[in-house]
Amino acid sequence: MSDTDKIKVTILPTGMMHADLVWLLIDPSRMATYQQPRKERDWVEVPTHVVFLEHPNGQKLVWDSGVPRDWETRWEPSGLGKFFPVDAAAEEDWLDSRLKQLKTEPNDIDYLVLSHLHMDHAANAKFWERTDTQIIVDEKEKEGAFSFDGHNKGAHIKSDYDTLQLDTIGQDTELMPGVTILQTPGHTWGTLSLQVDLADAGTMIFASDSLYLKESYGPPPIAAGIVYDTVAWFESVEKIRGIQERTGGQVIFGHDANQIKELRTGPGNYYT
Ligand SMILES: [Zn+2]
């Protein structure tokens, strides 16, 4: 079996944010206490990534779309820029740079799958406006993302996705052999994960914001910040764990600064 007969997965860092850790991890051991009421905050690196997948059937998929170049202006009205500045992105990181490095363009992509529609995942989805690419989100995510009036609701910024043709899934869906979209709600109304069964690297489960950090995974899991449905979030973590244990696979966390350094990343450094 040569590499052209195998699924190829390229993980692309798409810009580093910083944020207070409490957005990501509700960890009692780092919280203020009676004895230490003024405990320091943890200001941490919050990397973002997208996944570029090439299937032996000839189809290409992009998972998530990263953060926007114009985050300072785009995130000003919502105030999100002060909490999640993209203050450590290199020129090579932005999604448009990444696509160029891959010598591909939006219209070459068959599927854009968005784990959810938050501003650090859907920001560049409009690169795919007026293309033939099928854009896929969870049906409950779409419902929620259009359920409010005004500019944004939390980290959902309507102008990121409002004019796009969004197709939806309502159950776990094998999109291509070895490539399965998993429903893992809780972080938002309809957060998705992506399971890829690779010939050499084994199963990789891209959890996106269903699991930001390895620290959160456990067992036992430590609750994450920004969770719309806590019970569903814990259930989704155990769903991911079940698949990970059954397949002997690896979970790729959504915003884990330590893990991303250990992974093979960038154009040419793919997994098969
Ligand atoms: Zn995120």
Side-chain angles (χ1 to χ4, degrees):
M1 200 166 162
S2 76
D3 272 10
T4 52
D5 303 320
K6 298 171 185 170
I7 301 172
K8 270 166 64 172
V9 155
T10 309
I11 300 169
L12 301 159
T14 43
M16 178 85 81
M17 305 185 283
H18 282 87
D20 191 310
L21 178 67
V22 78
W23 294 108
L24 304 182
L25 196 68
I26 312 290
D27 178 1
S29 74
R30 307 192 203 213
M31 285 179 183
T33 60
Y34 187 27
Q35 289 76 16
Q36 252 189 299
R38 305 213 175 273
K39 205 159 179 182
E40 284 228 8
R41 324 281 323 172
D42 292 304
W43 184 248
V44 298
E45 290 184 325
V46 184
T48 69
H49 66 262
V50 311
V51 175
F52 175 63
L53 182 148
E54 298 159 275
H55 200 276
N57 73 5
Q59 292 188 304
K60 295 189 178 80
L61 176 151
V62 169
W63 166 250
D64 276 344
S65 79
V67 285
R69 275 184 185 270
D70 62 347
W71 64 273
E72 275 179 281
T73 48
R74 207 192 290 195
W75 295 355
E76 225 277 314
S78 61
L80 291 161
K82 64 176 188 279
F83 295 108
F84 307 99
V86 193
D87 56 351
E91 175 56 31
E92 64 177 23
D93 291 338
W94 304 110
L95 184 64
D96 57 283
S97 300
R98 291 302 191 193
L99 294 176
K100 277 195 200 108
Q101 293 155 23
L102 293 163
K103 297 184 175 43
T104 190
E105 24 189 297
N107 206 29
D108 297 336
I109 307 300
D110 298 279
Y111 303 104
L112 172 68
V113 186
L114 298 170
S115 64
H116 60 304
L117 294 170
H118 272 168
M119 85 302 180
D120 55 326
H121 297 262
N124 296 310
K126 285 194 177 173
F127 288 5
W128 279 271
E129 194 150 40
R130 287 181 292 275
T131 62
D132 300 327
T133 306
Q134 189 182 0
I135 308 176
I136 300 173
V137 299
D138 182 275
E139 65 181 11
K140 292 213 169 61
E141 185 71 11
K142 181 174 174 180
E143 204 183 295
F146 286 95
S147 67
F148 61 91
D149 295 322
H151 172 267
N152 71 295
K153 181 176 187 177
H156 284 86
I157 300 177
K158 232 187 216 171
S159 55
D160 285 343
Y161 52 77
D162 55 352
T163 55
L164 295 169
Q165 158 81 42
L166 300 172
D167 290 340
T168 58
I169 60 153
Q171 57 187 3
D172 292 352
T173 302
E174 187 172 37
L175 204 54
M176 301 176 255
V179 181
T180 305
I181 304 171
L182 304 169
Q183 289 190 300
T184 51
H187 168 64
T188 62
W189 303 289
T191 307
L192 301 171
S193 297
L194 182 73
Q195 177 184 349
V196 187
D197 302 311
L198 292 161
D200 302 315
T203 293
M204 293 180 109
I205 305 162
F206 295 93
S208 182
D209 289 0
S210 309
L211 274 164
Y212 304 122
L213 301 174
K214 182 169 192 289
E215 269 187 277
S216 212
Y217 188 39
I222 299 178
I226 317 176
V227 170
Y228 292 23
D229 181 337
T230 310
V231 173
W233 183 86
F234 278 102
E235 284 170 2
S236 291
V237 171
E238 294 318 314
K239 175 175 178 172
I240 290 170
R241 196 188 316 285
I243 295 167
Q244 186 250 316
E245 286 177 351
R246 199 162 61 244
T247 58
Q250 186 184 4
V251 179
I252 312 300
F253 304 99
H255 293 295
D256 194 308
N258 296 319
Q259 186 188 39
I260 196 86
K261 286 171 196 146
E262 291 161 11
L263 291 168
R264 229 177 274 161
T265 60
N269 296 320
Y270 51 81
Y271 290 92
T272 55

